[in-house]
Amino acid sequence: MAKIERKYFAHFLNTAKKNEPANYERLGKDLEEYKAELNAKVERRTNIFGKQSITISGYEKSAVVDTYYAEPGTALYERLQSIIDEGLILEDLQTDMVEVKLWDMQPDGSYPAVMEECYIEVTGYGGDTSGYQIPFTLHFTGNKVQGKFSAGTKIFTIA
């Protein structure tokens, strides 16, 4: 089996505010790398026999988007700029991300996908002479739903 090209693993961030219809925008235009860090909660113990046991009790998944150039008129820019301008906190930062496997088209034209709740943390804004940048980190809650995603309509459906 051939390796899966990176461009076929897509990440769609819901840019809509809470209680608004979902509006997914694909991440990646200015990104050379995007990966989720799982940050496992690992507990190690050594018993009196010198044997070590390891318990992984969960994950604190996060992903950094540190090259985002602001593009007025895009939904993602509007969402990020509102976080900055309004000093949004708590539930106002809540959204979801859909990870889509574009290498596995289904007979109905959709793709397998996982939607996970997350919070947007804007980590700064400004940048250098290359353009206005708004880097951000996504903090995932672990609340996941399996489903399918239509890339054409950008609609997620629970399986």
Side-chain angles (χ1 to χ4, degrees):
M1 179 176 198
K3 292 180 185 177
I4 298 169
E5 292 182 55
R6 179 61 178 90
K7 66 183 179 181
Y8 294 115
F9 187 45
H11 310 275
F12 289 86
L13 183 64
N14 183 357
T15 60
K17 292 182 179 178
K18 195 172 182 177
N19 300 321
E20 293 180 350
N23 182 26
Y24 292 104
E25 192 167 310
R26 187 172 181 182
L27 296 181
K29 182 177 179 190
D30 296 312
L31 291 175
E32 293 180 15
E33 179 179 28
Y34 172 90
K35 64 180 177 179
E37 299 289 342
L38 295 179
N39 305 308
K41 294 179 188 179
V42 180
E43 183 179 332
R44 299 172 189 266
R45 291 186 182 178
T46 304
N47 65 21
I48 61 173
F49 301 125
K51 302 275 185 183
Q52 191 174 66
S53 66
I54 297 173
T55 303
I56 298 176
S57 61
Y59 298 94
E60 293 182 8
K61 181 178 164 185
S62 64
V64 174
V65 179
D66 85 30
T67 307
Y68 172 75
Y69 287 97
E71 292 186 41
T74 64
L76 182 55
Y77 162 74
E78 298 297 332
R79 180 73 188 267
L80 297 175
Q81 193 64 51
S82 73
I83 292 169
I84 295 166
D85 292 345
E86 299 169 35
L88 300 178
I89 59 171
L90 304 171
E91 291 82 24
D92 291 332
L93 303 175
Q94 182 181 350
T95 190
D96 62 82
M97 166 78 78
V98 178
E99 295 181 336
V100 183
K101 299 170 180 88
L102 295 176
W103 64 87
D104 191 13
M105 183 185 284
Q106 302 301 296
D108 66 356
S110 68
Y111 299 91
V114 176
M115 180 176 64
E116 185 172 1
E117 179 183 78
C118 63
Y119 286 77
I120 302 170
E121 173 198 5
V122 172
T123 56
Y125 59 95
D128 56 24
T129 57
S130 63
Y132 177 40
Q133 298 175 41
I134 307 174
F136 61 97
T137 300
L138 300 172
H139 299 277
F140 296 87
T141 66
N143 297 327
K144 296 181 180 186
V145 178
Q146 300 284 330
K148 59 184 183 175
F149 189 81
S150 170
T153 62
K154 296 183 181 174
I155 294 175
F156 176 82
T157 307
I158 297 172

